[in-house]
Each structure stands twice: as structure tokens, then as C-alpha cells.
């Protein structure tokens, strides 16, 4: 059992804290957001993550999980302090590590006994060293000596399956230079000892960017290939299955779509470009991943415009707003770009998402062309087209006879290739998806 502090109680910090408490540790989660901490103290979770509310409640009841806004209280007697702070993009695309460095400075004010500062945020190469320097400087200003170590321990959880990922990690990366810190962290992570990888700090820091850039590469590769399929009369699903059967390639992360979003892939690939440029290393390969992603969203929008000629006065139903299913996270959601482009072109939009409506309302509050609807059928009422943006499982089993009756014009733009083109056309819909020409899709073996 370890005494642990988590600084930053968002998606990563809260899930990590709740899971470490579940594993028997004493965990205090800290955040500067007072409202968030007040809510957490009553067991309320500020975002949607399957299973998290139960886990947090269990931790509170067992008195293994606490929440505070006070650095002093949070750090009292703690041995390991995780940093799970935002690392957003700056306007030039590089990573803003100021939240991490500010938190390091703040925690150093209360440092007395040995502390291991473990960074879980996704941070550019060199930030772990900067954290060490900030803490050392604060200690010098306080004119005290206190032993501490810094460790890079990038987080790989995925929203929607975050608890499973935390409790069944496929790897635990420890960028570490201290034998003492390594021993403590190997004890903490002993249930997962088989997947611990110890390495130097820069390699650990780069590993997270490499993982996200690789995933983004696969998606941009498939989206780029899907465009070629449309031009040659091919079917991206057939090509995907053909290449996915090769064990050297594998099936995952090969689904084409309207472009990736979320709080990680876009910003991390952008930051990787900046890291490469800073070190005088060509960034054009990484940059092309982002360029293809941006053009993918635009090409999908153009499909809708081409169908109607003009979007002026059209009503479009948007199904799915969050950046992916099973989360309410709207950060960098492709729906936001699409909604903005459609709205600026004169369309009225009827929006529905099973979970992300509240967060979407906050992001889209300024746009008067938008109507938030009760469910997917409500959104389809009077619509000239349905646009599927996020492949929530409930959208898989939509009754299109019912939806078609409610619509003004029967057209579906499927941004996730969720539906079968032949079935949709049989039901009388004009159906458009990604990487399939109509003839090929009918012959498809999907
Ligand atoms: N969300 C994911 O799926 C995911 C997965 C892996 C890694 N990451 C990385 O983990 C980091 C955190 O991401 P997140 O999604 O949890 O962010 P988040 O925005 O959900 O949470 C960050 C929290 O830190 C708090 N905070 C800000 N400044 C603070 C300070 N000085 N002291 C204490 N708290 C402070 C914020 O109020 C917020 O609650 C990022 O670097 C991200 O790239 C995220």
C-alpha cells in the first residue's frame, strides 16, 4: 500500500486515482477546479466514463480515495505524486507544458521528505528534466534540501475503456534514472510487472508521441486510400480486410472515417512535428498525417454540398457529436468542424448525441442555426439529410423506415461506414459513405 497524490483530476488523473485506490493504495486527487472537487467529494463525476462513478464511490466509502484543492493537504506524507495535467497545443502547434511546470513549482513549496514526481501527462522530450529543474529551483529559493526524483510514465488509457486499460495495461513505460524511484514504482506496479518497460527518460517521453502518431498514421493512411478507392471504383472495406488479414499489419485502427479528433491524436501529432523541428529533424512525414486529416473532413463536407448544390435553407440532422463513442469528450471532435462548415453555408442543424449533449451545448452555444434534439428520430424530423458523425452503438440499430418517414428528403451521409449501402438504397435512401463507389459497394462482401 502506497500513499499517492494525483495532481490534476481530469480524465487521466481521476481514472488513475480511482484505479490505484481500488488496488489498495491511499490516494488523494487534487485539482484547482473547486467545483470539480466539490462534486467529486459527493461522488459525482464531472464527465462520462463507463464504470468510473462506481469505482470512485467505492474508493470514497473505503476511505482510500480523497479529493482536495489544497497542495499542502494533498502532499502531506505522500511518497508518489503523479502529474496528470493538461498539455494543450500552443497556437504554433507545439505543446504547452506550462500547466505541468506550474504544478511542479507549486508542489515543491510543500516538499520536505523524499518524493517521486511521476509525470503522466503527454509532454515534449525534455519536460521531465524541466520539471526537475523547476522543483530544484523552488527548493533553492526556500533554502532547503529535500530529496526527490522525477520519472516519465506516459499514460496510454483510452476514453470509453479507461478503467479496463488502467487495470489491464498492455505496457507501463517508466523513464527513470534513479534506482530508488524504480524500486518504489516497481512495487506500486507489481500486479503488472510483466508489462513494465524501464528506459531512459527521453525515450519514455517520445514513446507516447510515437504511439499516437502511429495510430494517426494508420487512420490517415486509410482515409487517403479511401479517397483513391472512390476514384478507381474500389471498395475500401475490401481493401481493409485484405490488408488487415496480414498479421504484420493487423485489423485495428484501419477504419476510414471523416477524420480523427479527440484531445490526444491531433495535438500530439502537432507536438511531434514541433519536437522534430526543434531538433532539426524533418517533420514533413508527421505533418502529412495532419494535412490528410484536415482534408478528410473537408472532402466529407464537399460530398454533402455536391449532393445539394447549395446548403442554403437545408436542414441537416447530425447523429453523434462526441469525438468517438462511449465518451462525452468534445475536444477536437470532428462534429464541431462539420457543424461549423454546414452552418456557415446556410444550413440549419438538428443535433443529437446519446451522452455528449451537455458538453456540446457549451461548445456550440453561440450558433443560432442549431437545435438540440431528444433522440436520433427527433433530429431526423424534417431533415434533408442525416449525417452520421459518431458511431454510437445505438445508431447501428436505427429503424430507417421510421426515420425516413420523418425526413423531408431521404439522404444519409455516413461518416463512419456504419450502414450497408445496398440495404440503405433498398430502403429508398440516397446513401453516401467513405471509400466506396455505389456499384462496388453493392458487390461488397461486408
Ligand atoms: N484524455 C485521454 O484520453 C488521455 C490519454 C492519455 C494521455 N492523456 C494526457 O494526459 C494529460 C491530461 O489529460 P486529461 O484528458 O486528463 O486532461 P483534463 O483536462 O481532463 O484534466 C486535467 C485537469 O488538471 C486540472 N489542472 C489544471 N491545472 C492544474 C494545477 N496547476 N493543479 C492542479 N490541477 C490542475 C484541470 O482543472 C483538469 O481537471 C494530457 O497531457 C493528455 O494529453 C490524455
Amino acid at each position: 500500500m502506497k500513499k499517492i497524490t494525483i495532481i490534476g483530476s481530469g480524465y487521466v488523473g481521476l481514472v488513475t486515482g480511482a484505479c490505484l485506490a481500488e488496488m489498495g493504495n491511499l490516494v488523494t486527487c487534487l485539482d484547482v477546479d473547486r467545483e470539480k472537487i466539490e462534486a467529486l467529494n459527493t461522488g459525482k463525476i464531472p464527465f462520462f466514463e463507463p464504470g468510473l462513478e462506481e469505482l470512485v464511490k467505492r474508493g470514497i466509502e473505503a476511505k482510500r480515495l480523497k479529493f482536495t484543492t489544497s497542495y499542502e493537504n494533498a502532499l502531506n506524507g505522500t511518497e508518489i505524486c503523479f502529474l496528470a495535467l493538461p498539455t494543450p497545443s500552443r497556437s504554433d502547434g507545439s505543446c504547452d507544458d506550462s500547466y505541468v511546470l506550474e504544478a511542479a513549482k507549486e508542489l515543491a513549496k510543500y516538499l520536505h521528505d523524499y518524493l517521486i514526481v511521476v509525470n503522466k501527462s503527454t509532454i515534449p522530450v525534455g519536460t521531465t528534466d524541466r520539471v526537475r529543474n523547476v522543483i530544484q529551483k523552488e527548493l533553492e529559493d526556500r533554502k532547503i534540501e529535500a530529496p526527490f526524483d522525477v520519472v516519465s510514465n506516459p499514460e496510454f488509457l483510452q476514453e470509453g475503456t479507461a478503467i479496463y486499460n488502467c487495470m489491464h495495461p498492455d505496457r507501463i513505460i517508466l523513464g527513470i534514472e534513479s534506482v530508488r524511484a524504480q524500486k518504489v514504482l516497481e512495487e506500486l506496479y507489481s500486479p503488472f510487472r510483466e508489462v513494465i518497460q524501464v528506459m531512459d527518460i527521453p525515450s519514455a517521453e517520445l514513446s507516447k508521441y510515437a504511439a499516437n502518431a502511429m495510430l494517426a498514421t494508420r487512420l490517415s493512411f486509410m482515409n487517403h486510400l479511401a479517397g483513391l478507392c472512390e476514384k478507381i471504383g474500389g471498395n475500401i472495406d475490401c481493401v481493409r480486410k485484405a490488408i488487415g488479414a496480414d498479421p504484420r499489419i493487423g485489423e485495428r485502427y484501419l477504419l476510414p472515417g471523416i477524420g480523427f479528433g479527440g484531445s490526444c491524436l491531433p495535438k500530439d501529432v502537432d507536438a511531434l512535428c514541433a519536437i522534430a523541428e526543434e531538433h532539426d529533424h524533418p517533420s514533413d512525414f508527421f505533418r502529412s498525417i495532419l494535412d490528410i486529416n484536415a482534408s478528410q473532413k473537408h472532402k466529407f463536407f464537399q460530398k454533402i454540398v455536391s449532393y445539394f448544390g447549395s446548403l442554403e435553407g437545408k436542414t441537416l440532422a447530425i447523429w453523434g457529436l462526441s469525438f468517438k463513442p462511449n465518451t462525452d469528450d468534445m475536444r477536437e471532435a470532428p462534429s464541431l468542424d462539420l457543424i461549423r462548415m454546414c452552418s456557415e453555408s446556410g444550413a440549419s442543424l438538428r443535433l443529437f448525441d446519446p451522452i455528449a449533449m451537455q458538453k456540446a451545448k457549451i461548445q456550440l452555444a453561440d450558433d443560432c442555426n442549431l437545435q438540440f434534439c431528444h433522440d436520433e428520430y427527433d433530429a431526423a424530423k424534417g431533415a434533408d439529410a442525416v449525417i452520421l458523425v459518431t458511431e454510437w452503438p445505438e445508431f447501428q440499430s436505427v429503424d430507417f423506415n421510421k426515420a425516413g418517414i420523418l425526413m423531408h428528403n431521404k439522404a444519409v451521409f455516413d461518416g463512419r461506414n456504419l450502414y450497408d449501402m445496398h440495404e440503405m438504397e433498398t430502403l429508398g435512401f440516397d446513401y453516401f459513405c467513405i471509400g466506396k463507389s455505389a456499384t462496388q459497394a453493392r458487390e461488397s462482401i461486408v
Side-chain angles (χ1 to χ4, degrees), residues 6 19 39 90-91 102 141 143 150 158 184 196 275 278 294 425 429 438:
I6 313 266
C19 288
R90 293 197 189 98
S91 55
E102 271 167 35
D141 289 350
K143 300 191 183 7
V150 290
Q158 298 149 50
V184 175
I196 294 176
I275 294 168
E278 191 192 329
E425 288 179 350
F429 282 86

Side-chain angles (χ1 to χ4, degrees), residues 395-417:
F395 296 150
Q396 178 82 65
S397 50
V398 166
D399 177 349
F400 272 103
N401 283 317
K402 180 175 166 185
I405 291 167
L406 296 167
M407 292 172 73
H408 176 249
N409 174 62
K410 287 172 70 173
V412 170
F413 291 86
D414 180 351
R416 301 290 172 183
N417 286 3

Side-chain angles (χ1 to χ4, degrees), residues 138-190:
E138 185 63 30
L139 292 176
E140 282 163 17
D141 289 350
R142 285 172 60 204
K143 300 191 183 7
I144 67 157
E145 279 186 27
F148 73 96
D149 279 309
V150 290
V151 175
S152 168
N153 175 209
E155 180 53 58
F156 294 93
L157 65 75
Q158 298 149 50
E159 289 170 24
T161 53
I163 292 169
Y164 181 85
N165 301 144
C166 238
M167 294 304 225
H168 306 84
D170 36 32
R171 74 284 215 196
I172 289 175
I173 304 299
L174 296 177
I176 212 160
E177 287 171 356
S178 141
V179 176
R180 183 174 179 185
Q182 183 174 337
K183 189 168 170 292
V184 175
L185 290 176
E186 281 176 347
E187 278 165 19
L188 176 72
Y189 286 131
S190 59

Side-chain angles (χ1 to χ4, degrees), residues 7-12 30-33 36 71 84-87 99 121-122 155 157 159 208 263-264 267 331:
I7 301 189
S9 305
Y11 287 90
V12 168
L30 175 143
D31 206 284
V32 285
D33 184 337
K36 191 177 265 188
Y71 272 75
L85 294 146
T87 49
Y99 295 87
S121 296
T122 305
E155 180 53 58
L157 65 75
E159 289 170 24
K208 173 66 193 185
S263 70
C264 291
K267 92 166 164 60
R331 291 178 286 185

